[in-house]
Amino acid sequence: MGLGATTVKHVLLLLNFVFSVLGLALIAFGIFFLISAAANAVSIGENVAGGLIIALGVVILIIAIFGCLAAIHEAPVRLLIYVGAVVLLILAQLMFLGMSSHGTKDGISGSINEGFDRLWESERNQTGALGYYESWLQCCGVNSSEDYWIIHHGIPSSCCPENKCMDTPSRVFKTGCKAAFVKYLDDKLLVFKIVCWLLVIGEAVGAVFGWLLYSSVKNQSRRNNAVWM
């Protein structure tokens, strides 16, 4: 092979090594997502997102390892399969990015809304159901502190810093817990979005280099056959 083909091969190996590292990072992030969701009774969305992120990381890792082996052995069929798999992977990641962008806005298929509706019903019957989220997210009520006035309920101490309201309205958290929870999910998913966009860009380059190496191997094979004819 000429120097150009060798360079393409080395770049492809380097890219797939980077993909492997990012795939492992996604798996670790997905596990973190699941662990942090363990104490969350509001929505199953975190568990679903964590599972999808882990699955995506595993697929990326497998394709990256396959791409390394295909490049090392310079196998045309494997290189062609690799390019096709990367294209499908890019489409899947773009779909995941769309889901992560609109998922929290839609309440992750309504599960966040339903979860907070259940908590509010519990709060109406027994004070303190929202306390964990109010202290954790520094929020008050489902939509705002006015939720408590509507049901003629005093503002709980969990709606204030250090659980001390001191009969001072200015100390009450202004944000509702539903909005605060959505922001919390958005902030967590931001890491996923950044890694995913880096992967999409890198994989597009990887697919191009994979195709270049495939074409080079096929051309070399034709030239070798022509010499023997």
Side-chain angles (χ1 to χ4, degrees):
M1 267 194 179
L3 180 61
T6 303
T7 302
V8 169
K9 176 179 175 179
H10 289 161
V11 171
L12 190 59
L13 287 170
L14 177 61
L15 283 171
N16 280 288
F17 172 75
V18 173
F19 298 157
S20 299
V21 173
L22 290 176
L24 289 171
L26 280 179
I27 293 171
F29 181 65
I31 293 172
F32 161 72
F33 224 93
L34 292 178
I35 292 173
S36 64
N40 164 28
V42 170
S43 169
I44 62 169
E46 274 192 281
N47 292 321
V48 173
L52 286 174
I53 291 170
I54 291 172
L56 179 61
V58 170
V59 171
I60 289 171
L61 186 60
I62 292 172
I63 291 176
I65 293 172
F66 181 83
C68 284
L69 294 174
I72 290 170
H73 296 120
E74 299 177 6
V77 175
R78 286 188 228 172
L79 285 168
L80 197 57
I81 293 172
Y82 168 76
V83 172
V86 169
V87 171
L88 291 176
L89 181 60
I90 290 172
L91 294 176
Q93 285 171 248
L94 291 175
M95 182 183 70
F96 282 152
L97 283 166
M99 289 170 59
S100 65
S101 295
H102 298 290
T104 51
K105 292 178 183 176
D106 297 335
I108 306 182
S109 300
S111 63
I112 292 176
N113 295 330
E114 292 171 6
F116 275 105
D117 286 344
R118 288 194 302 270
L119 276 177
W120 187 241
E121 280 301 314
S122 300
E123 181 70 35
R124 290 167 68 98
N125 298 325
Q126 182 177 0
T127 302
L130 268 175
Y132 168 75
Y133 295 93
E134 288 171 334
S135 298
W136 167 40
L137 297 169
Q138 296 190 333
C139 56
C140 190
V142 173
N143 300 299
S144 72
S145 60
E146 291 184 5
D147 290 342
Y148 288 105
W149 298 116
I150 292 171
I151 62 171
H152 308 292
H153 192 297
I155 301 294
S157 59
S158 54
C159 277
C160 302
E162 301 175 355
N163 290 332
K164 296 177 182 177
C165 290
M166 302 177 181
D167 295 325
T168 308
S170 61
R171 287 181 60 85
V172 177
F173 298 131
K174 301 296 186 273
T175 307
C177 288
K178 190 194 301 184
F181 187 76
V182 167
K183 183 180 183 303
Y184 155 76
L185 281 184
D186 277 335
D187 290 343
K188 285 179 71 175
L189 286 171
L190 179 62
V191 177
F192 168 72
K193 292 175 185 177
I194 292 171
V195 173
C196 227
W197 275 117
L198 289 173
L199 279 166
V200 167
I201 295 169
E203 286 159 2
V205 176
V208 171
F209 276 86
W211 181 260
L212 290 174
L213 185 59
Y214 164 78
S215 300
S216 180
V217 170
K218 290 293 288 183
N219 291 336
Q220 183 66 35
S221 177
R222 289 194 198 97
R223 284 194 293 270
N224 291 339
N225 289 335
V227 169
W228 287 100
M229 287 177 64

